Structure formats: structure tokens, C-alpha cells
Amino acid sequence: REVARCVLEASIGGGATAVVYRGRHTGLGIPVAVKILRPKAAADPVLLESFRREGRAIARLDDENVLKVYDVADDGDLHCMVMELLEGESVLDRVTEQGPLRVIDTLRILRQVAMGLSAAHAQGIVHRDVKPANFVLLPNGSLKLVDFGLAAEQAATGKRVGTPHYMAPETCATGHFEPASDVYSLGIAMYHMLVGQPPHAGRSMEEILRAHRDGAPMDLEAGRPGLGAPVHRLFETLTAHDAAKRPTATDVVAHLDRIGGKRLLRPLRRRSGENVGVRVAVGVLLLVAAAGAWWFLGRDRGDTAPEAEPVPRAEAPPVVEVRPPEPEPPDEDELALIAQTEAEAEALLRGVE
């Protein structure tokens, strides 16, 4: 069937609000992913508007680390978004299946996500759902930031929206969000990648919100010993309780370059024994269409999630057994990072500050 000038070839994923198809754009002649809202979701004005807002937000961005949207269209009673087709895996999948990431690869991922956030923030767009599930690793080692379904086009205070494990203190407390809120979430994602799970995993939603809101300690050293002062300092800076003390996404890129230098520009290395086959991730990662579809906290019911739409299992960060990274010989990038002297670390700290 042809929808929005795209010939649909196969379904590659489905969720409560949308279905994603692999297709080919008849005008551009390229493979695409076509997300189509389910009728029930399309009948909800809030979901429909945020679906359209997501498309507009991403279409304004032209950055290699952000998923591209080619068109948002209504074809009869179908509401569609035509996007680039991503084949790869989410960072959440990699961490869940293989355990904590190498330090150098974590920094490489952080840098690419920060580049995408910098482009979004420059356009006045706040992502509001920064987490490993929304970082897609492509076969060439590059990364795309996806799922702008909760994105807002300006900082504001309102409903508490996001995934609780990664929400900034100001969002947990009052619903306020700003670019610095994305930076905090990036810091929590950093912890997740290095340790294997987010810092407050296993707690109830209200306990998680309270922990972020009150600034409960997050001991990265206990979760992953021996990371080094520059990495610890970067994490502490990203997750500062006071939003005004966090760096901008552009500053984060500069901070990472001071820590890792040109090594961070190299692609992520596959782990030994990793299955080299790629999986189509876009169908799983891009199904939640709208602002607050799952975590529209406080929507007339206190601090509970909407009852009408159950939270998909993939959206909740799993509590996994924390285990060290699989033993493997360090490469020259990892050795160079480990070999930094105390003097170099102090210089890096001054640079971060």
C-alpha cells in the first residue's frame, strides 16, 4: 500500500500508539521508516498534536547525530511521519545484553548525544526524554538521538513529563524543564552506561522522583571503581542539583574533548564475540508518539501514570544484575585514557571547571 508517497513494504515494530513500517519513498527513491498512529491514538487531540510537534521539532534540525524526519503528513484518516530508516541497536539493548560499557566507548556515546542536544537546544528544542533507549548505535559506530515525542519548543513549567529514572530535580519537583534538564538526564545516562543500570533502579516511581528531587547521593565510584578523577568530575558536573551549575550541551562536548581528545572521534569498537548482525531498532524506539503518552505525571491523578495506555516493557529501564565489563585486552585508546598522569587529571579538572 502507498501512504504519504511511500510504498509500505513490511511492519518493523508496533506499540500502543503507533506502528512503524519499512518503506520506500516514491519521490526520493530511498528507503524510509513510516510511523503511523493507531486510530485510538489519533483520536486523542493531545497525542495527535504532540505527534505533529515531534515531526516539526526534528525536521528543524540538521545534525548528523539526530534522526532525520522527511515529512509529516495526513493521508486520508492516517497520520504519518516519514523518517530515515535506522538499522542498528539501542545503547540500552547493548548495556542490558552485555553489561557496562568501556569508559572510552561511554565517552564516545556521550559526545555524540551532546552534539545532537547542542543542535536541538540551539533551535530552542528541549528533548525531555534523554536516556540510553533513545540512543541508536549504527553499524559504522556513529550514533543517532531519536524519539522527540516529548520535545518542547521552549523552556517552561507544567506537567511532569519524562522517564523518572532520568528526570532532572527541577522536573521532578515542579515540572519545570530547560536545556539544563537534558544535560542532567545525559549524566544519568552516563551512570547507566558505566554501571549497567540507572542510579536509583529498583525503587518505586515516587521514590525515584524523590531521590532526584532531593539530590540523593549517586555514588559512581561504588558502582564502577577506578574511573579516574576527570570522569567523576564530569559526572558530578552534569548531574549538579542546581540547574544553573550544569554545563550547556556545547560545553559538554568541549569537556569530553579535553578528557578524551581525538580518541573520541573514532567509532565505537565492537566487543569481542559480539553478533555483527544489525537489528532494525527504529520500530522499537520510535513508537511512543506524544508528550506524556507514558510518563505524563500528574495528569489529573497525582503522581500516577495514565491508566488508559500501559507502559511498554521496553520503556522502563530494566533492573539488571550489575557485572563488570567482559574482560578483553584494552586497545590503544583505552590504554591512553588509563595512562593519564595525576598532573594531567588536575589540568583536565581545571578545564572542566
Side-chain angles (χ1 to χ4, degrees):
R1 178 178 179 180
E2 183 173 330
V3 175
R5 299 187 66 196
C6 300
V7 177
L8 305 184
E9 298 173 348
S11 171
I12 56 177
T17 62
V19 181
V20 178
Y21 295 89
R22 180 196 298 271
R24 178 163 292 274
H25 197 283
T26 58
L28 300 175
I30 59 174
V32 293
V34 183
K35 180 162 68 172
I36 302 177
L37 281 183
R38 294 188 185 277
K40 183 178 179 181
D44 185 327
V46 175
L47 292 179
L48 180 58
E49 175 54 31
S50 98
F51 177 79
R52 291 168 172 165
R53 183 172 62 246
E54 176 188 8
R56 292 195 301 266
I58 306 175
R60 286 166 49 190
L61 303 178
D62 183 16
D63 186 85
E64 62 182 5
N65 294 124
V66 176
L67 171 78
K68 288 182 173 59
V69 166
Y70 301 121
D71 194 13
V72 178
D74 296 334
D75 192 331
D77 59 353
L78 299 179
H79 303 279
C80 316
M81 187 184 303
V82 182
M83 310 167 289
E84 67 175 318
L85 181 66
L86 299 182
E87 293 188 344
E89 64 175 337
S90 76
V91 171
L92 176 63
D93 286 340
R94 177 170 290 197
V95 173
T96 301
E97 294 171 6
Q98 301 183 354
L101 303 183
R102 299 187 313 145
V103 176
I104 194 72
D105 284 342
T106 297
L107 298 183
R108 285 170 176 152
I109 291 170
L110 287 174
R111 188 183 189 281
Q112 293 189 66
V113 176
M115 290 285 288
L117 288 175
S118 178
H121 295 167
Q123 293 292 327
I125 298 170
V126 184
H127 188 284
R128 296 207 289 177
D129 203 18
V130 176
K131 58 185 179 183
N134 289 334
F135 310 159
V136 177
L137 294 171
L138 304 182
N140 64 3
S142 64
L143 177 144
K144 294 278 188 177
L145 175 62
V146 304
D147 200 348
F148 281 70
L150 304 185
E153 298 178 356
Q154 58 182 353
T157 299
K159 303 290 186 179
R160 288 188 295 181
V161 174
T163 303
H165 282 91
Y166 308 91
M167 283 169 60
E170 60 274 10
T171 307
C172 294
T174 66
H176 178 75
F177 61 89
E178 57 182 284
S181 307
D182 283 347
V183 172
Y184 180 92
S185 300
L186 183 62
I188 302 300
M190 175 185 180
Y191 184 106
H192 190 160
M193 290 185 282
L194 289 172
V195 176
Q197 61 186 24
H200 305 304
R203 304 184 185 185
S204 70
M205 185 172 69
E206 183 54 40
E207 288 175 326
I208 294 169
L209 294 172
R210 187 184 306 114
H212 287 300
R213 183 178 64 235
D214 298 341
M218 295 179 287
D219 192 346
L220 182 58
E221 176 63 24
R224 181 75 175 268
L227 290 174
V231 175
H232 276 285
R233 179 56 176 157
L234 177 62
F235 172 71
E236 292 170 358
T237 304
L238 296 181
T239 57
H241 192 267
D242 184 351
K245 295 182 179 180
R246 298 173 207 149
T248 66
T250 303
D251 291 337
V252 172
V253 176
H255 296 171
L256 287 165
D257 287 345
R258 293 189 187 103
I259 293 175
K262 293 182 179 180
R263 296 187 296 276
L264 300 189
L265 301 179
R266 300 173 187 173
L268 274 72
R269 191 183 71 179
R270 294 184 181 276
R271 284 179 181 266
S272 57
E274 181 179 348
N275 181 358
V276 297
V278 298
R279 292 168 293 167
V280 178
V282 68
V284 177
L285 295 172
L286 303 178
L287 293 175
V288 180
W294 314 125
W295 293 114
F296 208 144
L297 306 179
R299 187 181 180 185
D300 300 327
R301 284 190 292 272
D303 286 334
T304 59
E307 298 175 357
E309 302 285 1
V311 179
R313 183 179 300 276
E315 280 297 301
V319 179
V320 299
E321 178 184 357
V322 179
R323 59 189 186 278
E326 298 174 2
E328 61 176 88
D331 60 12
E332 62 179 17
D333 289 335
E334 196 81 359
L335 288 171
L337 193 63
I338 295 171
Q340 289 175 329
T341 65
E342 288 300 319
E344 289 173 327
E346 288 300 322
L348 289 169
L349 288 178
R350 289 194 295 273
V352 170
E353 292 169 352

